[in-house]
Amino acid sequence: MTQLSLAYIFQHQKLLVDENFQLPQVEKLASDLPIHQNDQVIARDLLEDEAIPEGYQLIPIRELIQSWSSSDFLQASRAVQLLEWRRNHKFCSHCGHATEVHAKEYAMVCPACAYHQYPRVQPCIITIITKGDNEVLLAKSAHNKSNMYGLIAGFVEVGETLEEAVQREAFEEVGLKLKNIRYMSSQPWPFPSNLMIAFHAEYESGDIQLQLEEISDAQFFKFDQLPEIPFKGSIAHNMIMQMIDSKTET
């Protein structure tokens, strides 16, 4: 009897699931990527011209965060990032030769110059900024058409510490200086391949001045008067709820 593998089958950022958001089980192909070495869970690309199997649908992975457990979402995150990495490294960045998949490692290997290209993640900071005991800074992205307010976030630049990135992003986006920067947690975020690194910081000085190409509004909100915030399962939601709970307990 053929052993079936649980499959994360993606078409870009959309995942193949049934009506109950369950994954298909398929026969393993040579082109499949194992999610972890030597296990029976694989990742596979669904090509644009391939038919969607009957009883299944393509759902944006972002929509599954609220329906799946944290461990299931993290495994899906790993799968889509590995596929994205393989898709984007078909050619050697040193000499341009077509690459080959390493037999034992997650590496795209150039047979001409032997250069190895491994999966990379992009570090991003995300910061919850509080003022006093019951106010939090929330900002509305200029690129978001909804009324959702989130936290200040951005990519870490070359040669910059995480704490420096927290200070820089806050000053660039809302014109504020911060103090008492402390690490909170982290979360892989596959849009496309980021590692969100969460910090708590306290307001030190400055008046809110918006970077209009990035932020359309930013305000300090009372904990009991919050606007629409990011959805459950996102690191921003977890940070806001954790901060409210900690301030309420004290």
Side-chain angles (χ1 to χ4, degrees), residues 1-150:
M1 181 180 295
T2 302
Q3 186 174 8
L4 299 180
S5 298
L6 195 66
Y8 289 88
I9 301 177
F10 282 94
Q11 194 171 86
H12 303 296
Q13 290 280 336
K14 293 184 177 181
L15 178 63
L16 190 72
V17 292
D18 65 16
E19 61 182 9
N20 296 315
F21 304 128
Q22 298 300 303
L23 299 171
Q25 295 194 30
V26 299
E27 291 187 25
K28 191 173 181 180
L29 304 178
S31 58
D32 291 336
L33 273 173
I35 301 301
H36 302 283
Q37 295 295 344
N38 301 321
D39 71 7
Q40 291 300 312
V41 184
I42 58 95
R44 178 186 298 178
D45 279 315
L46 182 69
L47 303 180
E48 299 287 349
D49 57 354
E50 283 189 85
I52 297 174
E54 185 175 352
Y56 287 87
Q57 58 189 325
L58 288 169
I59 297 292
I61 185 176
R62 190 183 296 268
E63 295 181 12
L64 296 170
I65 297 174
Q66 300 179 74
S67 304
W68 281 8
S69 68
S70 176
S71 59
D72 286 342
F73 176 74
L74 289 178
Q75 186 157 258
S77 170
R78 179 178 175 85
V80 72
Q81 289 180 73
L82 286 172
L83 290 172
E84 185 84 6
W85 156 73
R86 185 176 68 175
R87 196 181 304 122
N88 291 339
H89 291 84
K90 293 180 178 180
F91 297 92
C92 177
S93 62
H94 276 193
C95 71
H97 196 282
T99 57
E100 300 173 351
V101 179
H102 194 284
K104 296 181 180 179
E105 299 178 349
Y106 290 118
M108 300 298 286
V109 182
C110 177
C113 71
Y115 182 63
H116 286 47
Q117 297 176 125
Y118 295 94
R120 296 287 188 268
V121 295
Q122 302 170 101
C124 302
I125 55 87
I126 181 168
T127 310
I128 185 163
I129 301 169
T130 58
K131 182 196 285 187
D133 293 328
N134 66 342
E135 287 187 291
V136 59
L137 181 87
L138 297 175
K140 185 177 177 182
S141 170
H143 311 293
N144 195 335
K145 303 303 182 183
S146 73
N147 289 318
M148 186 185 74
Y149 282 71

Side-chain angles (χ1 to χ4, degrees), residues 139-145 211-217:
K140 185 177 177 182
S141 170
H143 311 293
N144 195 335
K145 303 303 182 183
Q211 184 182 26
L212 292 176
E213 62 267 30
E214 296 291 337
I215 304 294
S216 61
D217 187 36

